[in-house]
Amino acid sequence: MRLFGVHAAISLIPVFVLGAALAVNFKAQERHRALTDAEDQVTLLAHTTIDPLINDQATLNAGAVTNANPLRGALNDGSVLRLRLWSSDLHDVLNQAPQGAAPLQTDDDVKFAQDAANGATTSRVTTLPTGTEPPTEEAVVVYRGVWVRVPKGPTPKLVAVIEVAIPYGPVKTQAATALKNQYRELAVGLGALYLTLLVIALSMSRGLRKEVAFNAFLAEHDHLTDLPNRTLFHRRAGAALRRASRDEPVAIAIIDLDRFKDVNDTLGHHNGDRLLTELARRLDVNTRPEDTVARLGGDEFGVVLTSVTDPEEALVRLRMVIDREVEVSGLPLSVESSIGYVVAPADGTDIDDVLQRADVAMYVAKANHAGVVRYDPEQDDYDAAKLALVAELRHAIDGGQLVLHYQPKTSIADGGVEAMEALVRWQHPTRGLLYPDSFVPIAEQTDLVDRLTDWALDTALEDVQQLAKINEGLAVAVNVSARSLGKLDFARRVTAALEKAGVPSTRLIVEITETALITDPERAARSLSNLHLAGVRVSIDDFGQGQTSLGYLSKLPVHELKIDKSFVSDMLVNHGHAAIVRSIVDLGHNLRMRVVGEGVETDEVLSGLRVAGCDVAQGFLIARPMPYGKLVGWLAERTPENPKRTRRRPLNAKGRVPAAS
Ligand code: C2E
Ligand code: CA
Ligand code: CA
């Protein structure tokens, strides 16, 4: 409102300026009109009084002028103050009334009289001495030529110049009255204009204020559910933390829906959105007005409960509220959720620490299907540090902290590089380079692994596309966890990634561990056949570890078996493992698959694999996983003419690898 007042005051300025300009103009016009009126009066007087006194010879009986009736009357009643009649050459005053009047002649008089003699009627306002009280009087003095048309003469002839002073007072009063009326009208008009402008401005500023408020709302709220977003949640949680005390503790919780992605996948995003909206509404109505419920993104909600005596009980109740069936497009759905929470100040007071701890607790809840879990660094059941890592992983993916290292897969027959396997590493800002074993298994407990898979796919495809310049036929193998493979839209995501990178599907191999196949055979089979249809090759990793039914395996569109490195590495000393290696090679070949031996660290093992009939080798002997930049150099050294630099030992007479010396 204050802003509006300022606005109103400012817009008054141009209205005032306009008013003042018009007023000055009006005043000038009024004065001009007063002078013209006076000139008209004198013209009339000349016509009625003087013209009749001009005789046939076109000379004027000047002496009779002041005695002429209308003029005498005018002099007597004061409507004419002075009169003077100049000779046409302006040298003589022919007549003057009143007779004793002070001479009017000044230089100005002569100038004006001269103009009149030249044909113009002129006038000016001046002050005349009166000889009585008041001593002076304002007057309009008009000068006008008296002309007569001479028969047969070429132009009218100037007979005299008449100079008449009439009081300015009445003219002025009349002009002032007219001016006053004009001013009044002007004021009313401008006032109306100003009010109209004000009303327009008021309604516009109201509209603007509404828009500003709306934008502020948008910036801090989630557009799907209208709940506060992460930004506002962060602010409110921070404020609640500052107020938290032992007597008035604050609970901050992170709620993550379980398997929400399945709802999106099976029923479509539209229904997923409806489910989220309904759950958001429920959370909102089931908390107190002083609490905060926010949507942090996707299927994640945040809750701040202030001065709560039993947060566990409150959150269990909220979880039950989420659990209750929701009808979406006629289908009764129920979603479970995992809730992790912290109680401040006991579990921390720094907003970032507290949120991260709530996140960790949420992952514990998720991993153990425990429902509602409070953060507890002492708990033995889980490695809090590892879980904290997963909480960080979310940001690491977006923050560019992950890198892919590549390990070549080479043909045992000729050493030619067939593919490179992408292996993820995390360049952690404080812990250094982390290997997948320390974060992938935990990421696999949550949908976070999907983001990891998507990231690895995108990055590997980008790299292989770059590598086409050096090696056009090279394929890239990407590891995909069971959880991602089980997603209904997995194959679609893969083809989308191929399209985005502009890489043909034949250059991608998807590696899935044997155990991943067993987790959800049906879904896995569906994803695999969709990948196969799209032209993507599938490799079964760590084969021999699980117990895949051979019947199931024979039906899957699989291109490659990778013998688990635990069998390969000691095949030369462990006869059982050597037998397994040979069996897998046979099985694979019978099912028309390529067979890869991984974990090849020595020439002997490589030879053993060759003897067993294995097609492809991978291991430290050939190359350790290396960053992309190093791989480029490594590949450049291995031209098709010189495919391998690794030594190959000649086999002995029995076709066996000679014992290492
Ligand atoms: P994996 O797919 O079986 O990958 C082979 C692992 O064995 C790699 O470990 C590799 O560095 C290691 N390795 C290769 N050659 C040798 C060798 O000669 N001797 C020995 N002792 N080890 C060798 P890494 O990179 O630590 O990866 C471990 C596992 O993490 C991988 O096993 C894979 O299951 C998983 N992983 C790696 N990257 C990703 C990824 O992007 N997504 C997913 N879901 N999982 C990944
Ligand atoms: Ca692998
Ligand atoms: Ca493996």
Side-chain angles (χ1 to χ4, degrees), residues 5 28 50 70 76 102 150 165 181 209 255 259 287 297 367 381 383 396 433 440 505 530 631:
I50 301 173
N76 284 344
V150 187
N181 287 339
R209 259 203 315 279
I255 304 179
R259 305 200 147 264
T287 42
D381 284 354
D383 182 346
L433 192 68
V440 171
S505 55
N530 285 338
L631 175 79

Side-chain angles (χ1 to χ4, degrees), residues 421 479 511 513 541-543 562-565 598 618:
E421 179 179 1
N479 292 286
E511 289 196 12
T513 58
D541 207 353
D542 301 346
F543 193 77
K562 287 181 87 170
I563 311 169
D564 191 68
K565 57 177 174 287
E598 61 174 11
Q618 189 180 6

